[in-house]
Amino acid sequence: MATPAQPCGPFALGTFADGGGAPFPGLVADGRVLDLRDHPALGRPATTRDLLERWDEALPVLHDLAARPDGTRRPVEELRTLAPVEPRQLLQSGANYRQHVIDLAIAHRPTEDTRPVEQARAEIGAMMDRRAAEDQPYVFIGLPSSITGPYDDVLLPHWCTKPDWELELAAVIGAPAYRVTPQEALAHVAAYTIANDLTARELVFRRDMPEIGTDWLRCKNAPGFTPLGPYLVPAAFVADPSDLRVTLKLNGETMQDESTADMLFDVARMVSYASQTTRLLPGDLVLTGSPAGNGMHWGRFLADGDVMDGAITGLGAQRTRCVGESA
């Protein structure tokens, strides 16, 4: 495995395995990994979620460990990098990037819409601006069982005819959050990571039951449909989550390349909104939506042998290969 891109800040956290051994939480600094399981000052954590459960206490200890030489550190390329955290709850967002929503609205325009394309785009854009000012985010629930590692193969189910990519910034909860305001929300975010929220595009809308609307269970939650990581980068090292570049390349060709500034609802509003209904717990993920440039826009979907390279400023990079499933 190639050495992954170095994240910003003095260290990051990840979950690793040595061959077929048990997964363990590791501190990543300068391309080397320190096994954290035996550190009493951290409570001998078995998982990264254990660290997030006591984040305020753990963070200064992690800073100290990152700055201290330790001969037991292993090169990251000698280890298998797994998904960096196992959340109890996975919350996903739809229609949260202005340009992406415009593109999808144009792609799904009913045949009776006879407006010129530029007029339609302008009117949809104005509607998105009103939504950002006046409305609320759109959040739905995903299954943690869809999560896979940042370098694992992605199995494309034989029943999926339009598998699509959606690279996203994911906020990782530290302190529990319930009914927090947008002004309070970022204090509950411990870290950020990268998620590729794959979609079976042909199954988003139930054509047999149009009055029901979307079918998020089937279109989003196949095993491996959420490559995650490689790392948890502490929020303190991310200067502005609203100023990060989200880039996805398919077989070396750039398909998504957008700033998180294009979000309709920023991280604080997303976390606050989700917390009004559910109690967010340490390790939970709040995905913030995908920017423009999905397969639906390009008229090209994932196929056997495709390789996706995803990166977000300061968070490292993931690489996943698609494997088609036989019927």
Side-chain angles (χ1 to χ4, degrees):
M1 186 192 78
T3 302
Q6 182 68 22
C8 66
F11 67 88
L13 296 174
T15 300
F16 304 92
D18 186 357
F24 64 88
L27 181 147
V28 185
D30 298 323
R32 300 180 73 84
V33 177
L34 177 65
D35 187 340
L36 298 175
R37 285 176 292 187
D38 292 328
H39 283 270
L42 294 171
R44 293 188 169 86
T47 66
T48 55
R49 203 169 78 194
D50 291 341
L51 294 167
L52 294 165
E53 294 271 7
R54 47 183 300 183
W55 187 242
D56 287 344
E57 301 168 43
L59 196 55
V61 178
L62 294 170
H63 273 280
D64 182 60
L65 290 173
R68 186 189 308 166
D70 190 317
T72 66
R73 296 185 188 186
R74 301 270 304 278
V76 67
E77 59 267 24
E78 291 184 1
L79 301 168
R80 183 182 175 198
T81 302
L82 309 176
V85 68
E86 292 185 359
R88 282 166 285 208
Q89 300 180 105
L90 174 60
L91 293 103
Q92 297 161 298
S93 172
N96 195 40
Y97 275 78
R98 186 179 186 276
Q99 191 61 47
H100 177 52
V101 175
I102 293 171
D103 288 346
L104 286 180
I106 293 297
H108 287 290
R109 268 204 310 172
T111 54
E112 61 268 22
D113 186 346
T114 59
R115 292 175 295 173
V117 171
E118 288 310 311
Q119 177 188 345
R121 295 185 74 89
E123 292 176 359
I124 295 166
M127 182 174 64
M128 289 303 99
D129 294 339
R130 289 194 299 273
R131 179 173 171 241
E134 302 169 4
D135 293 340
Q136 296 177 322
Y138 182 61
V139 176
F140 54 95
I141 302 168
L143 298 178
S145 59
S146 70
I147 290 174
T148 192
Y151 312 118
D152 292 342
D153 289 347
V154 172
L155 182 67
L156 304 177
H158 66 84
W159 46 258
C160 181
T161 61
K162 294 182 178 179
D164 204 347
W165 58 87
E166 295 197 39
L167 201 71
E168 307 191 10
L169 174 67
V172 186
I173 300 300
Y178 187 54
R179 296 180 180 172
V180 300
T181 67
Q183 293 74 27
E184 299 166 330
L186 292 186
H188 296 261
V189 176
Y192 294 97
T193 191
I194 303 170
N196 191 353
D197 182 20
L198 271 66
T199 304
R201 193 65 69 184
E202 79 281 9
L203 297 176
V204 174
F205 299 104
R206 289 291 295 262
R207 288 171 173 76
D208 60 328
M209 302 174 68
E211 66 279 5
I212 295 294
T214 48
D215 188 347
W216 296 121
L217 172 66
R218 196 161 189 224
C219 77
K220 288 284 190 183
N221 290 293
F225 258 37
T226 313
L228 188 71
Y231 305 128
L232 307 181
V233 176
F237 306 157
V238 179
D240 184 358
S242 293
D243 186 25
L244 304 176
R245 204 79 196 172
V246 180
T247 306
L248 183 135
K249 294 182 179 181
L250 181 66
N251 303 327
E253 181 180 357
T254 299
M255 311 303 279
Q256 291 184 286
D257 186 12
E258 184 61 84
S259 169
T260 53
D262 196 49
M263 285 184 187
L264 297 171
F265 304 99
D266 63 14
V267 174
R269 291 178 71 184
M270 295 292 299
V271 171
S272 172
Y273 176 78
S275 80
Q276 302 309 308
T277 300
T278 189
R279 188 181 301 277
L280 300 176
L281 303 170
D284 286 352
L285 299 177
V286 178
L287 276 58
T288 56
S290 178
N294 305 105
M296 178 66 78
H297 168 76
W298 295 108
R300 197 279 198 212
F301 297 98
L302 295 169
D304 181 58
D306 281 344
V307 175
M308 295 179 287
D309 288 288
I312 298 179
T313 310
L315 303 186
Q318 56 177 233
R319 166 172 279 201
T320 49
R321 182 174 65 95
C322 297
V323 178
E325 180 184 43
S326 300

